[in-house]
């Protein structure tokens, strides 16, 4: 396998922000449907925009019987809508605009789009500054009252209240992380990479690649604020570079994809105190492989019996079994993504399929998934899209 050098996020953002100047604004519907059929599950794809390309969110229909994908629309969502989140009621989609500077300020932005109930088409509602450079992750708390954002270059997290119509209010709190790690190129400063609410919706966990730490915050929805829990953080192995996290659906465990040392860490989460404690660490690579690799995304199957991590460089998905009573991980399979740089992936709503976004080879590839063992099987289903970076299925709410 090749051993690519990971370009810095600043290098990539500088190259891809060229097309921002010509961004069209307006209140008209931004999703121009290319096909009228509405059958199949709807997938939103966030991308990095490059050059003069402005349509950065794509709408894809998937046939859940065959896994076949077809493009049905696209959206002018501004520059680099690289990460997406959908409101729990299914009526609003949020996208970061991963920029270091926006409207003359050292910040990126977060955009909100109304979702049409009948078609899933998107119409811009508003945008707000993320209050930090290069926002790379956005999530919605489980009650749908606030948006949480991680600013990578800024090394900060932000909380933005959600208004009654789904639009965003300005950030009510920004927390600047501190800390650094031993990797002089990647950990010279804090680099917040994700933030998500815990299953109780009382806490928010934020992984910081630069600080080698998973921070724990008490989530105050009434006060629209985050309060750091002293003694609650997980201090990761030096140089690990925690990137994304995933909660086990029933056990008090959090799994962390570590970008810089190609591992997945298991943390125990005390939901009463809001405290994390390390339990185990496993490699995401097959034994004996020594090339350059950067894990990216991580997901737990709804059953809790399988865990998946994407490997960029090795260009694979690592499949782990999860012990039912203890949550102990065992590497069962490492399968090629049939593409380059699998930045993000998702399970479809039925759990039958796993879709991978290969960023550098401009493709989304479909794998069949055994719901008992969790193992993956290649299919011939794939679709070409420019620089895919985030996959989100829309689940229609009544």
């Amino acid at each position: 396998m090749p051993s690519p050098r990971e370009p810095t996020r600043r290098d990539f953002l500088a190259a891809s922000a060229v097309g921002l100047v010509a961004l069209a604004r307006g209140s008209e519907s931004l999703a121009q449907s290319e096909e009228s059929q509405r059958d199949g599950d709807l997938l939103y794809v966030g991308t990095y925009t490059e050059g003069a390309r402005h349509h950065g969110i794509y709408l894809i229909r998937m046939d859940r019987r065959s896994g076949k994908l077809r493009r049905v629309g696209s959206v002018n969502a501004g520059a680099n809508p690289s990460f997406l989140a959908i409101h729990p009621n299914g009526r609003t989609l949020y996208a970061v605009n991963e920029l270091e500077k926006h409207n003359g300020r050292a910040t990126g932005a977060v955009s909100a789009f109304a979702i049409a109930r009948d078609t899933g088409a998107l119409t811009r509602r508003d945008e707000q500054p993320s209050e930090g450079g290069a926002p790379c992750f956005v999530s919605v708390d489980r009650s749908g009252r606030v948006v949480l954002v991680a600013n990578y270059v800024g090394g900060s997290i932000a909380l933005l209240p959600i208004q009654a119509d789904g639009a965003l209010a300005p950030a009510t709190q920004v927390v600047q992380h501190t800390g650094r790690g031993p990797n002089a190129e990647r950990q010279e400063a804090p680099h917040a990479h994700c933030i998500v609410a815990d299953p109780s919706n009382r806490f928010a966990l934020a992984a910081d690649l630069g600080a080698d730490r998973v921070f724990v915050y008490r989530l105050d929805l009434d006060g629209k604020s985050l309060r750091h829990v002293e003694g609650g953080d997980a201090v990761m192995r030096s140089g690990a570079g925690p990137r994304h996290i995933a909660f086990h659906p029933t056990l008090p465990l959090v799994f962390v994809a570590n970008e810089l040392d190609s591992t997945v860490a298991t943390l125990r989460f005390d939901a009463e105190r809001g405290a994390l404690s390390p339990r185990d660490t496993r490699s995401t690579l097959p034994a004996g492989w020594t090339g350059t690799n950067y894990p990216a995304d991580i997901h737990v199957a709804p059953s809790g019996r399988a865990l998946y991590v994407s490997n960029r460089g090795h260009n694979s998905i690592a499949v782990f079994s999860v012990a039912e009573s203890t949550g102990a991980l065992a590497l069962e399979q490492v399968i090629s993504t049939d593409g380059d740089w699998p930045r993000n992936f998702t399970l479809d709503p039925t759990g039958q399929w796993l879709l991978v976004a290969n960023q550098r080879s401009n493709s989304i590839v479909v794998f069949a998934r055994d719901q008992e063992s969790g193992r993956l099987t290649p299919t011939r289903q794939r679709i070409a899209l420019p620089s895919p970076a985030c996959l989100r299925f829309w689940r229609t709410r009544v």
Side-chain angles (χ1 to χ4, degrees):
M1 305 290 285
S3 301
R5 175 186 177 274
E6 164 79 337
T8 68
R9 190 172 294 267
R10 287 184 173 180
D11 290 342
F12 190 84
L13 297 181
S16 60
V18 175
L20 178 63
V21 176
L23 171 63
R25 304 277 183 181
S27 60
E28 72 276 9
S29 176
L30 299 175
Q32 301 300 319
S33 179
E34 297 167 1
E35 297 183 31
S36 61
Q37 297 104 316
R38 298 174 184 173
D39 58 311
D41 294 309
L42 184 63
L43 175 73
Y44 297 106
V45 182
T47 71
Y48 284 100
T49 55
E50 297 170 298
R53 183 170 67 86
H54 306 304
H55 281 221
I57 299 179
Y58 292 85
L59 284 66
I60 306 295
R61 289 284 179 188
M62 190 189 79
D63 184 334
R64 63 174 55 178
R65 296 165 298 180
S66 67
K68 183 178 181 179
L69 304 175
R70 56 187 173 85
R71 175 176 157 178
V72 296
S74 59
V75 175
N76 186 336
N80 297 338
S82 63
F83 207 87
L84 313 176
I86 297 176
H87 193 283
N89 67 18
R91 299 175 188 171
T92 309
L93 178 142
Y94 302 96
V96 299
N97 294 111
E98 192 175 338
L99 300 164
E100 287 195 54
K101 291 187 177 180
H102 182 62
N103 291 337
R105 294 182 56 208
T107 179
V110 188
S111 299
F113 299 86
I115 301 176
R117 295 190 187 186
D118 54 347
T119 65
L122 302 178
T123 303
R124 179 182 290 277
R125 286 199 189 278
D126 71 340
E127 71 172 29
Q128 295 291 345
S130 68
E131 302 301 343
C136 63
F137 192 99
V138 60
S139 65
V140 183
D141 86 283
R142 295 169 191 266
S143 69
R145 296 168 65 184
V146 301
V147 155
L148 303 170
V149 181
N151 295 304
Y152 181 85
V153 170
S156 63
I157 56 172
L159 182 150
L160 290 77
I162 296 174
Q163 303 183 75
D165 63 353
L168 291 169
T172 54
Q173 187 171 16
V174 180
V175 179
Q176 179 64 53
H177 285 176
T178 59
R180 64 179 61 186
N183 187 318
E185 183 180 2
R186 300 293 309 282
Q187 296 184 303
E188 82 295 348
H191 292 301
H193 221 308
C194 87
I195 178 168
V196 292
D198 83 308
S200 75
N201 214 41
R202 296 168 53 236
F203 299 96
L205 275 59
D208 193 299
L209 181 147
D212 273 337
R213 186 179 291 259
V214 179
F215 293 89
V216 181
Y217 297 92
R218 186 170 293 278
L219 179 58
D220 182 352
L221 294 172
D222 292 329
K224 302 294 188 295
S225 66
L226 296 163
R227 299 196 307 276
H228 184 235
V229 177
E230 294 299 328
D233 299 349
V235 179
M236 309 300 288
R237 190 162 67 180
S238 180
R243 177 185 173 97
H244 281 188
I245 67 176
F247 289 93
H248 191 279
T250 58
L251 299 174
L253 298 177
V254 177
F255 302 105
V256 184
N258 291 316
E259 178 172 340
L260 300 183
D261 71 356
S262 293
T263 64
V264 56
T266 302
L267 310 177
R268 182 175 180 82
F269 183 56
D270 184 336
E272 292 300 317
R273 298 190 301 118
L276 292 167
S277 53
R279 284 292 180 266
D280 189 29
T281 302
R282 302 280 173 162
S283 174
T284 65
L285 295 168
W289 198 82
T290 59
T292 303
N293 184 67
Y294 303 98
D297 205 11
I298 183 169
H299 293 284
V300 183
S303 68
R305 296 195 299 267
L307 172 76
Y308 303 90
V309 181
S310 65
N311 286 310
R312 297 173 300 170
H314 189 260
N315 293 335
S316 62
I317 298 292
V319 183
F320 294 85
S321 60
V322 185
E324 185 174 356
S325 59
T326 65
L329 300 180
L331 183 61
E332 303 290 348
Q333 181 186 28
V334 182
I335 186 170
S336 169
T337 61
D338 195 23
D340 189 9
W341 220 246
R343 188 179 189 89
N344 194 259
F345 66 94
T346 190
L347 276 66
D348 85 303
T350 70
Q352 299 179 77
W353 312 100
L354 185 145
L355 287 70
V356 181
N358 289 306
Q359 180 187 349
R360 291 183 178 174
S361 55
N362 303 313
S363 63
I364 298 173
V365 177
V366 181
F367 292 84
R369 177 178 172 271
D370 185 310
Q371 297 193 57
E372 290 299 318
S373 69
R375 293 178 69 90
L376 303 177
T377 303
T379 72
R380 296 183 177 181
Q381 305 299 344
R382 62 190 300 137
I383 192 169
L385 282 180
S387 198
C390 185
L391 308 178
R392 287 288 180 266
F393 275 102
W394 178 49
R395 294 166 174 81
T396 307
R397 309 302 199 273
V398 177

